[in-house]
Protein backbone atom coordinates (compact mmCIF):
# COMPACT_ATOMS: atom_id res chain seq x y z
CA UNK A 1 0.00 0.00 0.00
CA UNK A 2 1.07 3.54 -0.60
CA UNK A 3 0.91 6.54 1.70
CA UNK A 4 -2.74 7.19 0.79
CA UNK A 5 -3.94 3.82 2.08
CA UNK A 6 -5.25 2.98 -1.38
CA UNK A 7 -4.20 -0.41 -2.83
CA UNK A 8 -1.89 -0.11 -5.85
CA UNK A 9 -4.41 -1.62 -8.28
CA UNK A 10 -7.05 0.93 -7.30
CA UNK A 11 -4.54 3.74 -7.51
CA UNK A 12 -3.42 2.62 -10.98
CA UNK A 13 -7.04 2.55 -12.17
CA UNK A 14 -7.68 5.99 -10.70
CA UNK A 15 -4.53 7.44 -12.25
CA UNK A 16 -5.45 6.01 -15.65
CA UNK A 17 -8.92 7.56 -15.43
CA UNK A 18 -7.48 10.90 -14.26
CA UNK A 19 -4.88 10.98 -17.06
CA UNK A 20 -7.43 9.97 -19.70
CA UNK A 21 -9.82 12.72 -18.69
CA UNK A 22 -7.04 15.30 -18.52
CA UNK A 23 -5.90 14.28 -22.02
CA UNK A 24 -9.38 15.07 -23.37
CA UNK A 25 -8.98 18.64 -22.17
CA UNK A 26 -11.33 18.46 -19.20
CA UNK A 27 -10.49 21.01 -16.53
CA UNK A 28 -8.14 19.88 -13.77
CA UNK A 29 -10.50 21.35 -11.19
CA UNK A 30 -13.49 19.25 -12.27
CA UNK A 31 -11.36 16.07 -12.40
CA UNK A 32 -9.95 16.83 -8.94
CA UNK A 33 -13.44 17.37 -7.54
CA UNK A 34 -14.70 14.05 -8.95
CA UNK A 35 -11.79 12.04 -7.53
CA UNK A 36 -11.41 13.89 -4.24
CA UNK A 37 -7.81 14.94 -4.90
CA UNK A 38 -6.25 18.37 -5.33
CA UNK A 39 -5.88 20.06 -8.70
CA UNK A 40 -2.06 19.91 -8.41
CA UNK A 41 -2.18 16.12 -7.98
CA UNK A 42 -4.27 15.83 -11.13
CA UNK A 43 -1.66 17.89 -12.98
CA UNK A 44 1.16 15.66 -11.67
CA UNK A 45 -0.64 12.45 -12.68
CA UNK A 46 -1.38 13.78 -16.17
CA UNK A 47 2.20 15.01 -16.61
CA UNK A 48 3.68 11.64 -15.59
CA UNK A 49 1.33 9.81 -17.97
CA UNK A 50 2.55 12.03 -20.83
CA UNK A 51 6.21 11.37 -19.93
CA UNK A 52 5.62 7.60 -19.90
CA UNK A 53 3.71 7.74 -23.21
CA UNK A 54 6.52 9.80 -24.80
CA UNK A 55 9.20 7.40 -23.50
CA UNK A 56 7.34 4.38 -24.85
CA UNK A 57 6.77 6.10 -28.19
CA UNK A 58 10.46 6.99 -28.54
CA UNK A 59 11.77 3.52 -27.62
CA UNK A 60 13.15 1.54 -30.55
CA UNK A 61 10.75 -1.14 -31.68
CA UNK A 62 11.91 -4.78 -31.75
CA UNK A 63 11.61 -4.88 -35.55
CA UNK A 64 14.13 -1.99 -35.74
CA UNK A 65 16.80 -4.36 -34.43
CA UNK A 66 16.89 -7.59 -36.46
CA UNK A 67 19.26 -9.33 -34.01
CA UNK A 68 17.81 -11.04 -30.95
CA UNK A 69 19.27 -10.67 -27.48
CA UNK A 70 20.80 -14.14 -27.79
CA UNK A 71 22.54 -13.11 -31.01
CA UNK A 72 24.02 -10.04 -29.32
CA UNK A 73 25.47 -12.03 -26.42
CA UNK A 74 29.23 -12.65 -26.45
CA UNK A 75 30.39 -16.10 -27.40
CA UNK A 76 30.82 -18.10 -24.17
CA UNK A 77 34.04 -19.65 -25.47
CA UNK A 78 36.02 -16.78 -26.96
CA UNK A 79 34.13 -13.66 -25.78
CA UNK A 80 33.65 -12.15 -29.25
CA UNK A 81 30.33 -10.62 -30.19
CA UNK A 82 28.62 -10.84 -33.59
CA UNK A 83 29.52 -8.00 -35.88
CA UNK A 84 32.66 -7.12 -33.93
CA UNK A 85 36.14 -8.14 -34.94
CA UNK A 86 38.43 -8.70 -32.00
CA UNK A 87 42.06 -9.67 -32.14
CA UNK A 88 42.86 -12.35 -29.61
Amino acid sequence: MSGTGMPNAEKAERNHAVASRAATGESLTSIARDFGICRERVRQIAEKAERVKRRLRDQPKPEDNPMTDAELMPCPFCGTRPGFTEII
Side-chain angles (χ1 to χ4, degrees):
M1 280 219 249
S2 65
T4 62
M6 182 184 291
N8 286 337
E10 286 180 32
K11 185 186 257 188
E13 287 177 27
R14 180 205 66 190
N15 289 351
H16 177 74
V18 166
S20 296
R21 287 175 61 179
T24 65
E26 188 174 340
S27 77
L28 302 182
T29 304
S30 68
I31 298 169
R33 189 179 323 112
D34 291 347
F35 286 95
I37 56 179
C38 68
R39 182 180 179 284
E40 174 62 15
R41 185 66 187 131
V42 172
R43 187 195 64 75
Q44 292 169 352
I45 292 168
E47 184 178 293
K48 182 174 182 179
E50 279 301 312
R51 277 196 317 265
V52 169
K53 189 165 45 169
R54 195 172 26 251
R55 187 185 75 225
L56 291 174
R57 183 191 67 218
D58 295 343
Q59 264 183 351
K61 294 171 184 50
E63 61 269 10
D64 292 343
N65 183 1
M67 296 184 116
T68 65
D69 288 340
E71 293 171 322
L72 295 173
M73 296 293 294
C75 172
F77 303 107
C78 65
T80 60
R81 294 181 296 170
F84 294 89
T85 307
E86 297 181 19
I87 300 173
I88 299 177

